[in-house]
Amino acid sequence: MSFINRQFVIALSLGISTMTIQSHSAVSAKIPPNATLDKALALVVNNPAKPLASLSVLAVRDGKISYHQQFGARWIDQDNPSNNKPANAETMYRIASISKTVTAIGVMKLVESGKINLDRDISDYLGYKLRNPNFPEDAITMRMLLNHTSSILDNAGYYWDEKTITDLKDVLLPDGKRYGTGSMWSKAAKPGAFFQYANLPWGVIGTVMERVTNERFDRLMQRLVLTPLKLKGGFHPADMPAADIVNIATLYRKRSVIDNKEVWNTDGPWIAQVDDYTKLAPVPRATADYFVGTNGTLFGPQGNCRLSAEGLSTIMFMMMNRGQHKGRVFLKTKTVDEMLKTQWRAKSDGKNGESTYSGGKSLFNAWGLGVQKFTDLSYPDAGKGGGGDRLAEAGGYKAIGHMGDAWGLTSAMVFNAKEKNGMIFMHGGPGFNPDTNPGNYSAMYRHEEEILNALYVNAVANKKNAAKAKK
């Protein structure tokens, strides 16, 4: 059956638009059709009670792309749906916190070139002494920033534009004009002693990267990572070619804020949250007067990268292959090994880290440098949603990678380097309150579980574990 005919048959069987499933890229055209997975994912996207604006997915089995598909629209015309722009293989999403992994790769390139030492006091790079005032004798290192043990928190925010601060030290130092009560500093544990997931440390990372190179973070990442890997996208849409900007997915929710309260309406319109460039071009995040090395939060090292699923798979393959990219060394093997090895693991008594997420459910159980280690833990709780970091319902799949959650989008890039397989998904936002849709066996939302499990069962599990996965 041709792809176009297969698309039509699936659409008729589901009672959905023939534009729900989109055409393949040149890479995907070589992949055998998978009608079962097409149908399973289309059902998730087009669930009348829990719709998603769009979805882009990619799966890898035995070192090769085994599935690559897109659903829904990257831009939605509320008044005339015939003008909707379908998601396609080139569509880029704001990948949210998966950006941290991309940033970490940039850091490791600077480690290899000798510009950064993972265990050196970052004060030496910043040009001023940075300490948690509650633990003034303890240095903060790049390693701590990368594995979320720096004692820097998000309680005071993690992004400031040029109009708000002139230097990140305005926030971090006790005499800074934006320091306030010092809530960005942990009072409970010294640097290196306690895991607490946060975004602000990545603004500090971006500032250090700018200081040691005298390059603006977004352009530095382009030079270090995106251009060498031949990836479209980046951390600053205002610098992207117009042909790429039109393929950035707008992120949506069916949510309004009325009297400071969230109001969700599944039957209502899709409301653009971010990246709607149909009428206005992206606004530059920095003026010509920006002083490099002062405010690394400006370009969003923690979550501002735009990439397609296929682009993100390039990064996944490089890490899976221990630094090799198309037969060449992009990162040294020992560098990737250092990123992927366990830098922090939760103790059973919970005294060395805050592993909870999504309503107090344990998602974070182990961490590398800029990557999470998914340990296959599951804590089912009938009627209340599950907990843990399990990626496949039947269990047995341990992986490394990162998840993202911002502006409605949630995303994941996870892989098992030994088995040479992995999964990527990015969706364009929910038409329902995701907090009312908890997972059954993990701390993820139920629709995330459905997407990942469908990918694993139908496009990732090999002959060795396929029988177990389909139970």
Side-chain angles (χ1 to χ4, degrees):
M1 182 185 297
S2 72
F3 174 75
I4 293 176
N5 288 336
R6 178 167 60 93
Q7 172 182 327
F8 181 72
V9 169
I10 293 171
L12 287 179
S13 69
L14 296 176
I16 58 180
S17 164
T18 55
M19 291 305 293
T20 297
I21 300 172
Q22 308 308 334
S23 60
H24 287 298
S25 67
V27 172
S28 300
K30 303 175 183 178
I31 302 170
N34 193 329
T36 299
L37 186 48
D38 288 344
K39 182 177 180 179
L41 294 174
L43 284 170
V44 175
V45 174
N46 294 283
N47 183 337
K50 300 171 183 177
L52 300 177
S54 64
L55 175 68
S56 184
V57 296
L58 186 147
V60 173
R61 176 193 283 143
D62 297 328
K64 297 180 180 179
I65 295 176
S66 57
Y67 187 77
H68 184 207
Q69 192 58 275
Q70 302 80 42
F71 305 78
R74 71 181 191 272
W75 183 78
I76 298 170
D77 188 331
Q78 303 291 351
D79 299 320
N80 188 357
S82 65
N83 290 332
N84 289 358
K85 297 178 181 179
N88 58 55
E90 302 297 322
T91 299
M92 292 178 282
Y93 289 77
R94 186 184 188 277
I95 61 174
S97 285
I98 302 176
S99 303
K100 293 180 174 70
T101 299
V102 183
T103 296
I105 291 170
V107 170
M108 300 310 283
K109 292 289 287 185
L110 295 177
V111 170
E112 287 191 347
S113 67
K115 292 185 178 295
I116 289 177
N117 183 312
L118 290 174
D119 299 306
R120 185 174 176 178
D121 184 345
I122 60 169
S123 301
D124 297 340
Y125 303 122
L126 292 171
Y128 53 87
K129 189 173 183 178
L130 185 65
R131 290 287 188 273
N132 181 332
N134 305 299
F135 304 94
E137 302 303 317
D138 295 279
I140 297 170
T141 68
M142 186 65 77
R143 186 184 301 276
M144 296 173 190
L145 294 169
L146 291 169
N147 65 24
H148 295 283
T149 64
S150 68
S151 79
I152 301 175
L153 313 178
D154 284 344
N155 297 354
Y158 56 86
Y159 168 75
W160 296 270
D161 61 24
E162 290 179 282
K163 295 179 182 178
T164 307
I165 65 171
T166 55
D167 197 305
L168 193 54
K169 64 184 178 182
D170 292 345
V171 173
L172 297 171
L173 301 185
D175 60 353
K177 64 181 181 181
R178 301 286 298 186
Y179 184 79
T181 62
S183 58
M184 71 291 297
W185 292 108
S186 172
K187 296 180 180 179
K190 67 180 182 179
F194 193 86
F195 173 94
Q196 193 159 10
Y197 186 89
N199 294 288
L200 180 52
W202 297 82
V204 179
I205 289 171
T207 306
V208 170
M209 294 174 73
E210 289 191 349
R211 291 279 298 186
V212 302
T213 62
N214 198 33
E215 293 179 69
R216 219 174 71 177
F217 173 80
D218 60 318
R219 294 170 180 171
L220 173 64
M221 288 298 300
Q222 200 75 37
R223 178 177 68 82
L224 291 177
V225 179
L226 299 171
T227 297
L229 294 178
K230 297 182 178 180
L231 298 177
K232 293 182 180 180
F235 285 80
H236 195 216
D239 276 2
M240 292 182 190
D244 291 345
I245 292 173
V246 298
N247 241 331
I248 297 177
T250 301
L251 303 184
Y252 295 92
R253 293 183 178 112
K254 291 193 174 188
R255 183 202 72 163
S256 301
V257 178
I258 302 176
D259 295 330
N260 294 320
K261 294 182 179 180
E262 283 189 343
V263 178
W264 291 84
N265 181 8
T266 301
D267 296 324
W270 289 103
I271 301 172
Q273 306 293 301
V274 71
D275 283 356
D276 185 353
Y277 302 127
T278 53
K279 295 179 180 179
L280 296 175
V283 177
R285 282 200 162 199
T287 68
D289 295 329
Y290 171 66
F291 192 79
V292 172
T294 57
N295 178 15
T297 74
L298 200 55
F299 299 98
Q302 83 291 339
N304 213 46
C305 190
R306 275 77 169 176
L307 286 173
S308 67
E310 191 171 317
L312 196 51
S313 76
T314 296
I315 289 175
M316 184 172 73
F317 275 119
M318 182 276 294
M319 298 180 74
M320 190 185 298
N321 293 322
R322 301 177 73 193
Q324 293 284 321
H325 172 63
K326 294 186 176 180
R328 296 185 177 182
V329 176
F330 175 76
L331 283 174
K332 297 175 182 177
T333 297
K334 67 177 183 179
T335 300
V336 177
D337 289 349
E338 187 67 23
M339 285 185 70
L340 303 188
K341 82 176 186 181
T342 301
Q343 305 277 337
W344 170 84
R345 181 179 290 275
K347 293 181 179 178
S348 58
D349 61 12
K351 292 183 179 181
N352 72 327
E354 182 180 273
S355 62
T356 58
Y357 178 75
S358 183
K361 302 164 191 174
S362 175
L363 175 63
F364 304 134
N365 297 295
W367 215 264
L369 298 178
V371 291
Q372 180 177 350
K373 305 197 76 170
F374 294 82
T375 61
D376 196 33
L377 289 176
S378 179
Y379 308 100
D381 188 1
K384 297 181 181 179
D389 60 7
R390 178 160 290 177
L391 295 167
E393 185 169 9
Y397 184 63
K398 295 183 178 182
I400 296 173
H402 216 293
M403 303 195 73
D405 186 346
W407 299 104
L409 165 142
T410 61
S411 57
M413 175 195 71
V414 295
F415 63 92
N416 184 302
K418 183 178 180 181
E419 296 184 3
K420 299 294 184 193
N421 58 37
M423 299 180 283
I424 292 169
F425 84 81
M426 300 174 281
H427 76 70
F432 60 97
N433 184 351
D435 290 335
T436 64
N437 192 40
N440 289 346
Y441 51 84
S442 75
M444 300 171 210
Y445 298 123
R446 180 58 186 154
H447 60 282
E448 294 176 311
E449 288 184 343
E450 291 172 334
I451 292 167
L452 287 169
N453 191 64
L455 286 171
Y456 181 74
V457 171
N458 296 287
V460 173
N462 55 31
K463 294 180 180 179
K464 179 180 177 182
N465 48 26
K468 179 181 178 181
K470 293 181 180 180
K471 286 184 179 179

